[in-house]
């Protein structure tokens, strides 16, 4: 007998849409929300008041800070980051963080309030078409105008955000839907017709890839962010160790392989290590795992690895053959593909191939690394500060970096030991990312040391989140590498624009005094003699701490590949 839809089920509770939002988040296991209240989302915040023992809300000082904090949270513990914001400017302030999360495949659910459905399209106060604004930078978005549609929308949002290639999702809820009552029922989502987040593994492609690897003399693994997302670190190392294949990492792939592993050859890309870049054009089989061949990795695609057969293991079909043609595409989850590949790959030894990396490393070490890491005179260098932080944290801290010279230096010289300890803005290159992201990372992994390495320019974009750090008592350690320049832009101006330093030199405030204004202790260091003790003081301090280190003003990051140039043109000085 068919039940009349209007009949009420006695076992269902009647609640408001606003309460349904919070109940649905609790059902998804959400324990932390980063947000900022406002008129259009006020009913949801009112409902949140009754769930304070189950969900911790962190009041940020800017909605962009909420998105970056949610990113840091998600990348430090693997959960979905959650953000609340109101309509209009609250929602539009999420755009940068959404785009950043979309580019870097970070799972995030943003819930925005919206004007009442009856006012949509009338240019009502703080009405903005957030759906059309965010469509290109979200994995999925939806506007909910009826209370009864809220549970289903949220269930679907979490499923899409965390499944397959993760990404950000936005749910926009009108104010009338928040106030209206309905019979609440929540069903977690694990299937959507026509959406297949994890492709079925094709054994034929696995066997073909294994055959190619077994025939190779100089195979080479490029490790991308997808290895970390899939939890494929052990499988990657098992494959590499069995067949003695050298590994290099993209920026977001850093920390997937311990830096001190004998098969780890370094960091790829524009400011990466010398041997990984040079030998990309010397290998005969290139095995790309969970990466998208970003332009910062490939340089001129016409000359990129043209001698090599390419195996591309990737979960997102849109990335295969988009930039570099794959001879053997493997459309699959990275962990599943690697685990399937290992039994088919033969053990091998490749002393000459591995030695070629070491010979190139000697050149980089002599020309670049030693002078940068162990200077004896002049101002402090960024590299030696990062080296000391790495040593004093034993390479086990979560390192959160902003964007620019300090980001490249930290990525090159921090000695990562454990997975998911490198958090940075890769695809978008968002200045201002590190402070709120480090805040979120510490909330997500409270028992780990979290160190944010930030440039003086980047810090001033989101420094208001110091107030959030103080109010919430988040024990993040903040290191500002201050060269009084927008350093990376200045480097390009020096090398490519005849030292015409246009609008890049900065007159900075007293960062330590700013921190003290937010009741966060700090110290400014200007000499080599002070730095070790200052780092130790920062790390041993119980709670948040800001360390400003004045570094050489015109220090450059090398090696370097000019934008769009062949990777073989990488220069050491």
């Amino acid at each position: 007998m068919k039940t009349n839809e209007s009949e009420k089920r006695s076992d269902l509770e009647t609640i408001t849409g606003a309460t349904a939002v919070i109940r649905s988040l609790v059902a998804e296991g959400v324990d932390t929300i980063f947000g900022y209240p406002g008129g259009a989302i006020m009913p949801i915040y009112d409902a949140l008041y009754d769930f304070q023992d189950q969900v911790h809300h962190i009041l940020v000082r800017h909605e962009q800070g909420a998105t970056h904090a949610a990113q840091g949270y998600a990348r430090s513990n693997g959960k979905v980051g959650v953000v609340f914001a109101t309509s209009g400017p609250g929602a539009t302030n999420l755009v940068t963080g959404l785009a950043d999360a979309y580019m870097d495949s970070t799972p995030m659910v943003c819930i925005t309030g919206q004007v009442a459905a009856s006012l949509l399209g009338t240019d009502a106060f703080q009405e903005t078409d957030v759906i059309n604004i965010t469509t290109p930078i979200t994995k999925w978005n939806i506007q909910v105008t009826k209370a009864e549609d809220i549970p289903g929308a949220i269930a679907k949002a979490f499923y899409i955000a965390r499944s397959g290639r993760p990404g950000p999702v936005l749910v926009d809820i009108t104010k009338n839907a928040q106030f209206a009552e309905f019979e609440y029922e929540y069903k977690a989502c694990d299937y959507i017709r026509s959406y297949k987040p994890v492709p079925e593994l094709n054994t034929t492609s696995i066997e073909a890839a294994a055959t190619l690897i077994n025939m190779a003399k100089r195979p080479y693994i490029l490790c991308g962010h997808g290895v970390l997302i899939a939890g494929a670190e052990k499988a990657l190392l098992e494959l590499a160790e069995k067949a003695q294949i050298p590994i290099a990492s993209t920026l977001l792939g850093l920390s997937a392989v311990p830096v001190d592993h004998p098969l780890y050859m370094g960091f790829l890309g524009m400011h990466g290590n010398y041997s990984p870049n040079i030998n990309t054009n010397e290998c005969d089989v290139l095995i790309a795992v969970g990466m998208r061949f970003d332009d910062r990795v490939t340089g001129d695609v016409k000359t990129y690895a043209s001698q090599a057969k390419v195996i591309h293991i990737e979960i997102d079909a849109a990335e295969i053959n988009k930039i570099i043609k794959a001879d053997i595409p493997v459309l699959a989850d990275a962990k599943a593909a690697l685990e399937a590949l290992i039994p088919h790959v033969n053990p091998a030894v490749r002393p000459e191939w591995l030695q070629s990396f070491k010979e190139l490393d000697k050149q980089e070490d002599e020309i670049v690394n030693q002078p940068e890491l162990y200077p004896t005179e002049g101002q402090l260098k960024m590299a030696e500060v990062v080296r000391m932080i790495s040593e004093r944290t034993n390479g086990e801290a979560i390192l959160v970096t902003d964007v620019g010279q300090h980001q490249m230096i930290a990525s090159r010289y921090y000695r990562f030991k454990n997975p998911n300890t490198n958090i940075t803005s890769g695809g978008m290159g968002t200045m201002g990312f590190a402070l709120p992201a480090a805040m979120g990372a510490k909330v997500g992994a409270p028992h780990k040391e979290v160190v944010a390495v930030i440039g003086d320019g980047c810090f001033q974009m989101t420094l208001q989140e110091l107030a959030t750090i103080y109010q919430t008592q988040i024990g993040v350690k903040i290191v500002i590498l201050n060269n009084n320049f927008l350093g990376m832009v200045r480097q390009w101006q020096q090398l490519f624009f005849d030292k015409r330093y246009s609008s890049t030199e900065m007159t900075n405030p007293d960062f330590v005094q700013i921190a003290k204004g937010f009741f966060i202790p700090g110290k400014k260091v200007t000499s080599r003699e002070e730095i070790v003790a200052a780092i130790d003081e920062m790390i041993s301090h119980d709670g948040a701490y800001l360390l400003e280190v004045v570094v050489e003003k015109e220090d450059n990051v090398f090696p370097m590949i000019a934008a769009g140039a062949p990777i073989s043109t990488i220069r050491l000085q």
Side-chain angles (χ1 to χ4, degrees):
M1 181 177 177
K2 189 175 180 180
T3 303
N4 190 318
E5 291 182 1
S6 64
E7 291 181 11
K8 290 188 176 183
R9 283 177 50 181
S10 59
D11 59 328
L12 297 182
E13 184 181 357
T14 299
I15 62 174
T16 67
T19 300
V21 170
I22 309 301
R23 288 266 292 267
S24 299
L25 296 179
V26 171
E28 287 290 343
V30 173
D31 56 21
T32 304
I33 298 166
F34 302 92
Y36 202 99
I41 200 171
M42 205 174 296
I44 292 174
Y45 270 90
D46 181 67
L48 180 63
Y49 188 87
D50 294 326
F51 290 82
Q52 295 177 67
D53 59 336
Q54 297 178 65
V55 182
H56 180 42
H57 180 272
I58 294 177
L59 176 64
V60 297
R61 296 307 188 264
H62 191 286
E63 291 88 354
Q64 181 182 344
T67 57
H68 295 327
Q71 287 177 272
Y73 175 89
R75 285 168 63 178
S76 70
N77 67 14
K79 296 181 181 180
V80 178
V82 178
V83 173
F84 280 179
T86 194
S87 64
T92 59
N93 281 344
L94 303 180
V95 166
T96 298
L98 285 167
D100 198 290
Y102 186 71
M103 289 283 277
D104 288 351
S105 302
T106 303
M108 182 164 68
V109 170
C110 294
I111 295 176
T112 53
Q114 183 57 275
V115 300
S118 61
L119 295 176
L120 291 173
T122 68
D123 294 329
F125 178 67
Q126 291 191 335
E127 180 199 358
T128 302
D129 186 355
V130 68
I131 296 299
N132 279 313
I133 288 172
T134 62
T135 294
I137 53 171
T138 52
K139 195 175 173 187
W140 180 69
N141 64 14
I142 187 172
Q143 186 171 79
V144 180
T145 59
K146 297 179 181 178
E148 56 266 30
D149 293 336
I150 288 173
I154 291 177
K156 191 173 179 181
F158 275 84
Y159 176 57
I160 292 172
R162 66 163 69 100
S163 59
R165 181 179 181 175
V169 170
L170 183 136
V171 180
D172 190 47
I173 306 175
T174 59
K175 202 166 184 179
N176 61 289
Q178 297 173 45
F179 278 122
E181 293 186 345
F182 72 108
E183 292 182 329
Y184 175 77
E185 182 179 21
Y186 192 77
K187 294 180 180 179
C189 179
D190 60 5
Y191 172 78
I192 299 171
R193 191 177 64 179
S194 79
Y195 173 59
K196 296 181 179 179
V198 182
E200 185 177 345
L201 187 63
N202 185 318
T203 56
T204 302
S205 65
I206 291 293
E207 290 168 1
T211 299
L212 202 55
I213 293 169
N214 291 336
M215 293 171 59
K217 302 296 183 185
R218 300 181 305 281
Y220 188 19
I221 294 173
L222 306 187
C223 167
H225 193 198
V227 172
L228 289 158
I229 292 171
E233 304 91 347
K234 289 183 180 179
L236 183 82
L237 278 179
E238 187 177 346
L239 173 66
E241 288 168 355
K242 183 177 183 181
Q244 287 295 288
I245 306 173
I247 307 168
S249 168
T250 66
L251 176 63
L252 291 180
L254 284 169
S255 81
V257 179
V259 169
D260 59 1
H261 192 283
L263 290 174
Y264 181 72
M265 300 303 164
F267 165 43
L268 292 162
M270 179 176 283
H271 291 289
N273 296 108
Y274 191 55
S275 70
N277 281 299
I278 290 291
N279 275 351
T280 300
N281 282 358
E282 298 297 328
C283 66
D284 57 3
V285 173
L286 191 68
I287 308 157
V289 187
M291 62 168 289
R292 57 190 178 86
F293 291 108
D294 175 76
D295 63 294
R296 287 298 194 257
V297 166
T298 65
D300 181 4
V301 294
K302 298 186 190 71
T303 61
Y304 181 81
S306 57
Q307 81 294 336
K309 297 290 186 182
V310 176
I311 299 168
H312 193 179
I313 299 172
E314 171 59 47
I315 199 169
D316 186 353
E319 296 297 345
I320 293 179
N321 295 323
K322 185 174 84 173
I323 296 170
I324 299 297
K325 185 182 183 303
D327 295 279
I328 300 178
V330 181
L331 183 62
D333 170 81
K335 184 178 181 181
L338 291 169
E339 288 178 344
L341 189 58
I342 291 165
H344 297 282
V345 171
N346 298 330
V349 291
R350 311 179 197 277
E352 292 182 4
W353 176 226
L354 295 175
Q355 183 62 29
S356 72
F357 285 87
K358 294 178 182 178
E359 294 299 324
L360 293 166
D361 288 342
K362 289 178 184 176
Q363 297 179 49
E364 179 180 347
D365 194 55
E366 180 181 339
I367 297 171
V368 180
N369 298 346
Q370 291 300 318
E372 288 291 314
L373 290 170
Y374 300 99
T376 57
E377 57 185 12
Q379 283 187 290
L380 281 159
K381 288 182 173 286
M382 291 179 284
E384 67 177 311
V385 178
V386 171
R387 171 181 63 81
M388 293 174 191
I389 293 170
S390 183
E391 290 172 354
R392 309 314 275 192
T393 59
N394 197 32
E396 294 181 338
I398 294 176
L399 190 75
V400 186
T401 52
D402 223 292
V403 174
Q405 287 183 316
H406 65 278
Q407 176 192 32
M408 295 295 102
I409 289 288
S411 300
R412 284 174 51 79
Y413 294 117
Y414 193 83
R415 307 285 293 175
F416 297 100
K417 283 189 176 180
N418 302 313
N420 298 306
T421 53
N422 167 57
I423 297 176
T424 195
S425 173
M428 274 288 285
T430 302
M431 291 180 67
F433 172 86
L435 185 64
M439 180 176 77
K442 184 65 175 177
V443 172
H447 302 299
K448 293 184 179 179
E449 191 73 77
V450 176
V451 180
V453 177
I454 311 176
D456 47 309
C458 294
F459 181 73
Q460 293 178 77
M461 289 198 167
T462 50
L463 65 81
Q464 70 274 1
E465 297 308 332
L466 290 174
T468 307
I469 289 169
Y470 171 66
Q471 179 172 342
T472 315
Q473 293 297 291
I474 302 170
V476 65
K477 305 301 163 51
I478 305 154
V479 180
I480 300 174
L481 298 182
N482 181 7
N483 58 10
N484 291 106
F485 264 115
L486 296 176
M488 189 60 85
V489 183
R490 184 214 55 76
Q491 178 169 334
W492 282 53
Q493 289 174 336
Q494 176 185 336
L495 298 177
F496 306 116
F497 293 89
D498 300 321
K499 293 188 177 181
R500 291 161 61 86
Y501 295 157
S502 176
S503 302
T504 48
E505 188 164 8
M506 304 191 77
T507 301
N508 286 320
D510 186 330
F511 294 120
V512 175
Q513 281 298 112
I514 288 174
K516 287 181 179 178
F518 291 101
F519 307 101
I520 294 171
K523 177 174 283 189
K524 181 176 182 177
V525 172
T526 59
S527 71
R528 192 161 283 114
E529 293 71 30
E530 302 173 279
I531 187 64
V532 172
I535 291 172
D536 285 344
E537 180 180 333
M538 174 186 73
I539 292 169
S540 63
H541 179 75
D542 184 17
Y545 191 99
L546 183 143
L547 177 62
E548 177 189 356
V549 184
V550 178
V551 295
E552 186 178 326
K553 285 193 72 171
E554 296 187 61
D555 193 9
N556 288 333
V557 186
F558 286 104
M560 181 178 182
I561 305 166
I567 57 173
S568 59
T569 63
I570 185 171
R571 52 189 286 187
L572 291 171
Q573 57 187 3

